[in-house]
Amino acid sequence: MTVLVEIAAPLGVGSASKGTPLNVAPMTGGTVKSEHGFSPSLAAEFVGTGNDYIRNDPDGKHMRLNAHGVIKDKGGAMVYLNYTGVVDITPQLGAILGGSPDAKSTDFGESCKPSLRRLDLPPLSHSRAIPGKLIIDVVIEMKFETGEEKFKELELGTFVGAGRFVVEHGKPVVVEYKISKVVA
């Protein structure tokens, strides 16, 4: 599935009691759309304002995401989603989140070093081959919750994904995730 999340500039909340400050990136819009043939079929938009609660590691090399949002399909079904992950802090990412006029879009895989988090999985569209195994760079794990019976399968699955930042000057920054269901 493809998840597009529009984000606003992070708000520096800080922290008086934790080791690293809290930043909150408002999720101001976006969509979630399953790929053709995926069940349950899902085409929904973000409603309300979600937030991505971000803490940088003390060494300043990674940030840890904890995003929460609600999506609604055309029939009115509501689905809560939560994703967590680890992202490398690079000069390119700093330019994007800092609103630099020189900021540019990133490619999939640039946000996470393969050594950080890896899964040995069967072939998927967003993977790379290594002799003897197939490795997928995992940036996020996504979970769903809903009261809609037709989307119950989302609650039972394990979903992982990779993301990239899309920068188009004059428009909100968009984080694009390609999400896959892990199957044994």
Side-chain angles (χ1 to χ4, degrees):
M1 95 183 45
T2 299
V3 177
L4 300 173
V5 182
E6 294 176 7
I7 59 169
L11 307 169
V13 175
S15 177
S17 62
K18 300 204 184 224
T20 59
L22 174 65
N23 292 287
V24 179
M27 299 161 49
T28 59
T31 60
V32 177
K33 185 169 180 7
S34 59
E35 303 301 322
H36 178 72
F38 178 81
S39 181
S41 178
L42 177 63
E45 294 185 2
F46 280 86
V47 293
T49 301
N51 288 300
D52 192 348
Y53 303 94
I54 303 167
R55 288 195 186 276
N56 292 350
D57 284 357
D59 66 7
K61 294 180 181 177
H62 306 99
M63 53 184 209
R64 303 201 176 255
L65 312 176
N66 187 0
H68 303 262
V70 176
I71 56 175
K72 180 173 149 181
D73 76 356
K74 291 179 182 171
M78 303 277 227
V79 178
Y80 162 78
L81 60 84
N82 167 242
Y83 60 85
T84 58
V86 178
V87 176
D88 287 348
I89 297 175
T90 64
Q92 189 173 8
L93 178 59
I96 293 168
L97 296 179
S100 169
D102 298 327
K104 294 183 178 20
S105 297
T106 63
D107 289 326
F108 288 101
E110 286 184 13
S111 297
C112 181
K113 289 186 177 77
S115 61
L116 275 180
R117 297 177 51 173
R118 294 159 42 131
L119 293 176
D120 294 339
L121 297 172
L124 294 171
S125 60
H126 300 284
S127 60
R128 59 192 168 84
I130 290 181
K133 42 173 79 167
L134 194 67
I135 304 294
I136 294 181
D137 300 337
V138 178
V139 175
I140 65 166
E141 176 185 10
M142 186 169 286
K143 297 180 180 184
F144 300 91
E145 187 172 333
T146 183
E148 293 290 330
E149 189 64 31
K150 67 182 178 181
F151 294 127
K152 183 178 181 178
E153 277 299 309
L154 294 174
E155 289 188 1
L156 303 175
T158 299
F159 297 87
V160 296
R164 71 184 190 114
F165 291 87
V166 180
V167 177
E168 294 182 50
H169 295 287
K171 296 183 178 181
V173 172
V174 173
V175 184
E176 178 182 13
Y177 291 107
K178 293 295 187 180
I179 307 297
S180 298
K181 182 176 182 180
V182 177
V183 293

